[in-house]
Amino acid sequence: MDKIWTIAWHMIKRTIGSRKGILIYILFPCLVIAGIVAISGGAGEEPTVVLYGNGDQGAAGKHLLAELERTGEYKLIQTAGEQELKDDITGQKGQAGLWIPTGYTADMLAGQRPLIRMYELKTSEASVMLNMKMKAIADKMQAAAAGIAAVQPGGGDQETQLSRILQTVEQHTVGSVRTDYNLYPREGLGVVTGMTLMFLMALVTSTVSLILDDRKGRTMMRMYSAPVRAYEIAIGNFLGSFMVGLIQIVVVLLLGRFVLQYDYELPLYLYFLVLAAFMLVSMGIASTVAGLIRNPNNAGMLNMLILTPTCMLGGCFWPISIMPDYMQKAANFVPQKWALEAVDIAATGGGWNELWLPFAILGLMAAVLLAIGSAILRPSEAGINA
C-alpha cells in the first residue's frame, strides 16, 4: 500500500506541485468555469425584449399590450413606426416585434378579424410563446366584441362598452397562482454542466502526455523493472490522477456556489459524485488511449478523435433530443450522456431509485476502461525506442 501511495503522491507533485501546475490545473479551470457560469448561468431568466408599435387609437390595442406586460415575461419597448420597428428587429434590438394596425379596435367591433403583424429574425421558443399568448388575448377580445355587437346591432357607443369590459378584465379579480414544482431543470444548468464535463475531460486526458513522457524517457521501463507489482504502478498512477481531479472538482464547485452565487439546483454532494464518476471514466479513456499511442507526436490527436466527438454526441453542446434517432442511440455509449442525465434527474428532484442507472453505467464504463488501460499501459519496444 505504501508503494501505491508513493506513486500517487509523485503523480500529484508532478501535476500540481509547481506554480505552472497550479496555474494550469487549478486556476485556469476556475477561470474557464467562471466564464461559462457568467455567460450561460442566467440563460432563460431575463424577460424577452419585444418591440412594438401601436397604430390603433382604441381600447383593444392598449389592452393587448397591458396584458402582455402583466405576465412579467416580456420587456416592451415602443418604436416610432412600423418601418422603425422593422429596422430595429433587423438590428437585433429585440427578439420579436409587434405592429398593431390602425383601426384595430374598429375592425374588431365590425366583426372582422384584424391581424397583428409579428416580425422576427428567427423563430425561437420565446417568439412562439409570444404569438400564442397574443392570439389568446385577441380571441378573448374578439368574443367580447361579438357579444357587444349582438346586444347593440344598430351601433351605439360600442367602443365605450368594449373599453369598460376590457378595463374590468384588466383588474383580474379572478385569477390563478402559478406554482413551480421544479419539474424541469433550468436551461442554463445543462449548458454549464456540458461545458464543465468537456473541460474536465480535457484536463484528465492531459495526463496522457505525462504517461507518454514516462514511456519516451524510459521512466516507465525502470518502474516496471523495480520490485513493484504492475497493479501497484497502475493503481498508483490512477489514484494520483484521480486525487488531482477531485481537487479540481472541489475548487470549481466551491467557486461557482459561494463566490459566483450560482444555484446548481441540486445538492453539491450529488453534483460532486456525478463529476467524480465521470472523471473515473475519463481516466479510463485516457489510460486506454495512452496504452495504444506509441508516438508522442500523435497525442494531440486525442482531443480531435475522442473528446470533441463524444461531447457533441453526449449532449454537451445541444440537447440529445434534437438529434436523429440513430445518434440518440449511439449517445448511450458515451459517458457525457449519462452524466448529464444524472444531473437532470437530481435537478428535478429524482432520488436514488432513478439515479442508480446512470451511476451504474458510469461505474461499469470506468471499471472496464480502467481494467483495459492498466492491462495495456506498459512499456514496449516501440515506446522505448521512441
Side-chain angles (χ1 to χ4, degrees), residues 131-151:
N131 193 27
M132 292 175 60
K133 291 178 181 178
M134 179 183 65
K135 288 184 177 179
I137 297 171
D139 289 342
K140 292 179 181 178
M141 291 191 296
Q142 193 77 40
I148 293 174
V151 174

Side-chain angles (χ1 to χ4, degrees), residues 58-60 62-63 105 109 144 148 157-170:
K62 297 178 181 178
H63 176 74
T105 303
L109 288 170
I148 293 174
D157 199 353
Q158 294 181 346
E159 186 170 340
T160 302
Q161 294 295 328
L162 179 62
S163 177
R164 291 175 181 175
I165 293 174
L166 296 182
Q167 289 177 4
T168 303
V169 172
E170 291 175 7

Side-chain angles (χ1 to χ4, degrees), residues 54-111:
N54 187 7
D56 182 43
Q57 302 298 319
K62 297 178 181 178
H63 176 74
L64 175 66
L65 296 173
E67 289 297 287
L68 289 176
E69 188 172 17
R70 182 182 177 277
T71 63
E73 300 175 9
Y74 307 105
K75 180 181 179 182
L76 300 179
I77 300 178
Q78 187 173 13
T79 58
E82 188 172 9
Q83 185 58 47
E84 288 78 4
L85 175 64
K86 295 178 182 179
D87 294 339
D88 289 345
I89 291 296
T90 305
Q92 299 185 3
K93 295 182 180 180
Q95 295 173 256
L98 301 177
W99 174 255
I100 303 174
T102 303
Y104 179 72
T105 303
D107 292 343
M108 187 175 291
L109 288 170

Side-chain angles (χ1 to χ4, degrees), residues 1 28 72 98 171 178 194 226 248 251 302 328 336-337 370:
M1 192 65 183
F28 184 60
L98 301 177
Q171 295 177 5
R178 177 182 175 183
Q248 293 170 344
V251 172
L302 179 63
Q328 294 186 32
Q336 290 90 332
K337 187 259 188 184
L370 288 173

Side-chain angles (χ1 to χ4, degrees), residues 150-200:
V151 174
Q152 297 179 343
D157 199 353
Q158 294 181 346
E159 186 170 340
T160 302
Q161 294 295 328
L162 179 62
S163 177
R164 291 175 181 175
I165 293 174
L166 296 182
Q167 289 177 4
T168 303
V169 172
E170 291 175 7
Q171 295 177 5
H172 293 279
T173 54
V174 177
S176 61
V177 177
R178 177 182 175 183
T179 302
D180 189 356
Y181 291 100
N182 196 26
L183 298 177
Y184 52 89
R186 188 171 65 242
E187 180 181 356
L189 178 61
V191 177
V192 170
T193 303
M195 295 295 102
T196 302
L197 293 178
M198 184 185 68
F199 197 73
L200 288 178

Side-chain angles (χ1 to χ4, degrees), residues 3 11 13 19 47 51 74 79-80 87 95 125 151 161 203 207-208 215 228 254-255 264 273 332 348:
K3 297 175 182 178
M11 176 64 74
K13 288 198 299 182
R19 292 181 179 178
L51 309 179
Y74 307 105
T79 58
D87 294 339
Q95 295 173 256
E125 180 181 355
V151 174
Q161 294 295 328
L203 290 175
T207 57
V208 173
R215 178 180 288 145
V228 184
L254 294 180
L255 172 71
Y264 291 104
L273 290 177
N332 293 321
T348 54

